């Protein structure tokens, strides 16, 4: 069961990457954001946002790799990576809920559930 859960987790990260990129296009077109164009916050915000999209994509690839070899999650480094990713997902989901961004909160929370469930199944 772990490989299919890890594949579902991998797919969720690909969808998060796509959604994150689309969301970035929306908020960077906001007139308030455009008004700071050329500043350090503008540059950092823009590049950082797309780095986040790349992070989701790379994480999706990592989960796909784990789905092909679930025993890799027996390695302490891979367990640590999985744990850090899951804490990041839950923290982000909670932050989004706290700030009323519920669509993002649900998407990231679902990804956290799939990721945790798949990893735990692979470890057990």
């Amino acid at each position: 069961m772990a490989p299919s859960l890890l594949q579902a987790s991998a797919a969720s990260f690909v969808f998060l990457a796509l959604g994150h990129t689309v969301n970035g296009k929306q908020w960077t077109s906001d007139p308030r954001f455009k008004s700071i164009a050329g500043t350090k916050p503008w540059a950092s915000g823009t590049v950082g946002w797309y780095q986040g999209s790349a992070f989701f994509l790379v994480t999706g690839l990592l989960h796909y790799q784990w789905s092909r070899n679930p025993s890799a999650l027996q390695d302490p480094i891979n367990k640590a990576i999985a744990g850090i990713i899951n804490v990041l997902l839950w923290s982000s989901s909670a932050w989004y809920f706290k700030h009323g961004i519920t669509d993002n909160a649900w998407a990231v929370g679902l990804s956290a559930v799939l990721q945790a469930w798949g990893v735990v199944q692979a470890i057990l």
Side-chain angles (χ1 to χ4, degrees), residues 3-102:
S4 63
L5 285 170
L6 290 168
Q7 288 171 347
S9 181
S12 78
F13 281 105
V14 171
F15 287 119
L16 285 177
L18 294 170
H20 197 263
T21 301
V22 169
N23 197 315
K25 293 277 188 198
Q26 292 171 344
W27 73 262
T28 56
S29 67
D30 185 291
R32 290 170 292 182
F33 187 75
K34 285 187 170 196
S35 72
I36 64 167
T39 66
K40 186 174 181 177
W42 171 84
S44 297
T46 302
V47 75
W49 190 267
Y50 294 108
Q51 286 172 345
S53 295
F55 164 79
F56 285 131
L57 188 57
V58 168
T59 302
L61 291 171
L62 178 60
H63 280 72
Y64 182 70
Q65 179 180 350
W66 287 340
S67 78
R68 295 179 58 190
N69 181 14
S71 65
L73 283 160
Q74 298 301 321
D75 180 271
I77 298 296
N78 283 321
K79 285 181 186 178
I81 292 168
I84 291 166
I85 290 168
N86 204 257
V87 168
L88 177 64
L89 291 171
W90 285 115
S91 301
S92 298
S93 181
W95 188 92
Y96 282 132
F97 271 122
K98 180 180 177 181
H99 290 88
I101 309 169
T102 56

